[in-house]
Amino acid sequence: MPVAARRPAGLFGDASGLCSSADPSMVFRPATTEQVADIVRACTAEGRALTIQGGLTGLAGGAVPAPGDVVISLAQMNRLEDFDTVGGTATVQAGMVLETLCALVEEQGWYFPLDCGARGSCQIGGNVATNAGGNRVLRYGTMRELVLGLEVVRADGTVLTMLNQGLKNNTGIDLKHLFIGSEGTLGVITRVVLRLFPKPERRYSALLALDTFEQLTKILKRARGSLPELSSFEVMWKDYLQAAAAALDKTPPFNASFPLYILLETEGRNSPEEAAKIQDFLGELLEAELVQDIIVPQNEEQAAQLWKFRDAIGEILRDMQPYVAFDVGISLPALPAFIDSVTAELSQTWPEARSLLFGHLGDGNLHLSTGPHAPENIVAVEELVYRAVQKVQGSISAEHGIGRVKKAFLKYSRSESELALMRELKQVLDPTGCLNAQRVIDTP
Ligand code: ZN
């Protein structure tokens, strides 16, 4: 598609930085499923390409319309329709903002654990369509594990109501999974039944400094065994933490500098026993010489200060433009060699660019950001990294999705037969190819 210069995310662009070069032909903000169905039915009948928009926080360009597209924004469909405070489920319309939902259920002692930097603007429908991940996948899974039921408008305008509320339902093919993570290419998600958890009384965090990746893998195994409440295992490499401190204008948390840092978090009871369990765990790490230093925040405010370093990627990237931000999935044994070879190749080929690393390493999800890169080199940078991902059978997108910006590289993570089946499914569910046209896979 034609791509114009970057401009702020709006109807024409999203958080990927990709922008449409011309206006959409029409923008609809339906308030009901029936209105969505009418619009989709009419567009399919007329062969018009549709762009489905949520909170425009996606990082793969999936919500960016091609010139002349019909845009459906789900923003008006933002109500909590049903809240089962006994069993712990919430039925929401697709346009509900994640943070709003979290606040609403927490008022009643329930908890929705999906969390990501875009929490204040991203919408549940978009979270489902992209199978969002984020900071707590290690304990609660991705969005796929948090969805019990869905309502979807199909390309022909029929409404598929699958508002299941139970955790177990083994009645034939579980159709909701066709739509979760397919990025709006197979249907428009209009309602979602979400799985809730009792609200944890307290979070405990600790920042660990270490010398080697081997220490990191040992700590992860021990943490999974000793801390059943482990909810996050976030890793920052030295250059990332330094860049975060500089971008935030804050003193780095440790006086000395270390190659690797782990920010871990548990969620559980607010009790001396719970705090002691974490203290014991950290003490064992020190005894086994698996960590060089540890910071244990004394309260939630101090913990929030530590999380600011981890969440500073937006501020950091402002100084690296134009940058390329990767979101790859690599198995832990392959990760050190992958990082060494990719960062070495990047710095040899483009010495003026720097590469920063952090990730949800509990899930094998690495975020690599590199920049600045001349716009004409960006495809070559992507090619270099994705070929390296292919060599270790990794995933070119662990959590952000394919959208428009990674479509050309999907072949590095999916076989020809997988791609063929994806095309067949698209053909069956959207024969005219109107729904989020030109995303994820090319159709005939
Ligand atoms: Zn992430």
Side-chain angles (χ1 to χ4, degrees):
M1 66 174 291
V3 176
R6 283 162 197 273
R7 51 181 164 175
L11 287 170
F12 316 115
D14 66 8
S16 67
L18 190 69
C19 286
S20 177
S21 60
D23 295 352
S25 59
M26 280 178 270
V27 178
F28 290 96
R29 295 176 181 276
T32 65
T33 299
E34 292 67 35
Q35 289 174 358
V36 174
D38 288 344
I39 299 160
V40 173
R41 191 181 300 112
C43 285
T44 293
E46 293 173 19
R48 285 170 170 272
L50 266 165
T51 288
I52 306 151
Q53 292 190 337
L56 299 172
T57 59
L59 293 165
V64 180
D69 271 13
V70 174
V71 169
I72 300 183
S73 162
L74 277 301
Q76 301 289 320
M77 293 184 62
N78 58 2
R79 287 191 303 115
L80 172 62
E81 294 192 332
D82 186 46
F83 184 5
D84 172 2
T85 56
V86 178
T89 66
T91 304
V92 303
Q93 294 179 331
M96 167 152 278
V97 170
L98 173 63
E99 194 171 63
T100 309
L101 169 81
C102 294
L104 281 172
V105 300
E106 285 184 31
E107 282 171 14
Q108 304 282 329
W110 287 95
Y111 176 55
F112 184 64
L114 189 83
D115 188 44
C116 59
R119 60 186 79 82
S121 345
C122 63
Q123 296 173 7
I124 296 293
N127 296 148
V128 177
T130 59
N131 187 26
N135 299 337
R136 301 205 177 98
V137 170
L138 179 63
R139 178 158 175 195
Y140 299 99
T142 61
M143 196 64 173
R144 191 178 292 284
E145 282 80 34
L146 301 171
V147 174
L148 297 171
L150 281 186
E151 177 189 79
V152 178
V153 173
R154 293 187 54 189
D156 63 1
T158 55
V159 179
L160 199 55
T161 303
M162 308 175 284
L163 295 171
N164 167 70
Q165 300 208 337
L167 190 55
K168 296 171 90 172
N169 184 347
N170 231 358
T171 50
I173 297 171
D174 195 342
L175 296 171
K176 67 175 182 285
H177 289 300
L178 284 174
F179 302 97
I180 302 171
S182 56
E183 303 185 40
T185 59
L186 303 182
V188 184
I189 294 162
T190 45
R191 280 193 178 87
V192 186
V193 185
L194 296 167
R195 184 181 173 199
L196 306 177
F197 297 80
K199 186 182 165 192
E201 289 175 12
R202 217 201 124 155
R203 292 201 177 99
Y204 300 86
S205 297
L207 183 66
L208 285 55
L210 28 159
D211 272 340
T212 67
F213 196 82
E214 198 190 341
Q215 288 176 319
L216 184 148
T217 54
K218 286 182 177 162
I219 293 171
L220 176 59
K221 180 156 182 257
R222 279 183 180 230
R224 290 171 66 190
S226 309
L227 303 171
E229 299 83 8
L230 183 69
S231 47
S232 291
F233 191 93
E234 301 286 301
V235 175
M236 297 174 277
W237 273 254
K238 180 167 92 179
D239 292 353
Y240 177 88
L241 191 70
Q242 280 168 355
L248 298 171
D249 202 16
K250 285 164 77 90
T251 315
F254 294 101
N255 291 330
S257 180
F258 300 91
L260 285 164
Y261 302 89
I262 301 169
L263 185 53
L264 57 83
E265 179 196 76
T266 68
E267 291 179 330
R269 292 180 62 82
N270 186 9
S271 70
E273 293 79 23
E274 195 80 16
K277 191 161 59 178
I278 292 151
Q279 287 292 352
D280 289 349
F281 170 73
L282 297 173
E284 284 167 23
L285 296 185
L286 283 167
E287 217 165 280
E289 298 183 349
L290 287 174
V291 281
Q292 269 45 59
D293 205 348
I294 298 177
I295 292 174
V296 181
Q298 295 308 302
N299 52 49
E300 300 217 1
E301 171 49 33
Q302 286 180 14
Q305 291 303 318
L306 293 181
W307 275 91
K308 280 194 177 146
F309 290 101
R310 161 59 191 81
D311 285 340
I313 184 65
E315 287 87 345
I316 294 171
L317 288 178
R318 271 206 300 265
D319 297 333
M320 288 172 65
Q321 297 208 40
Y323 57 83
V324 194
F326 295 96
D327 147 50
V328 296
I330 309 283
S331 71
L332 284 183
L335 199 58
F338 172 84
I339 288 172
D340 288 349
S341 74
V342 166
T343 52
E345 270 192 79
L346 284 170
S347 61
Q348 277 159 21
T349 319
W350 297 285
E352 67 289 356
R354 58 186 178 140
S355 297
L356 300 178
L357 297 154
F358 72 100
H360 322 287
L361 270 264
D363 325 319
N365 182 182
L366 179 74
H367 290 306
L368 160 69
S369 306
T370 172
H373 286 284
E376 62 271 22
N377 291 336
I378 281 178
V379 171
V381 173
E382 291 173 325
E383 194 72 40
L384 186 156
V385 174
Y386 291 140
R387 278 188 190 279
V389 171
Q390 185 187 32
K391 263 190 220 155
V392 293
Q393 284 105 47
S395 161
I396 65 157
S397 175
E399 61 177 2
H400 295 165
I402 299 302
R404 292 184 186 278
V405 301
K406 291 178 207 158
K407 190 173 71 167
F409 305 102
L410 186 56
K411 60 183 183 223
Y412 292 145
S413 280
R414 295 296 202 157
S415 66
E416 225 359 275
S417 45
E418 285 176 302
L419 293 171
L421 181 54
M422 287 187 204
R423 280 191 284 270
E424 280 177 54
L425 286 169
K426 173 76 172 169
Q427 182 65 31
V428 168
L429 289 166
D430 179 20
T432 59
C434 293
L435 293 172
N436 267 1
Q438 306 306 317
R439 276 78 160 185
V440 187
I441 42 164
D442 280 319
T443 42

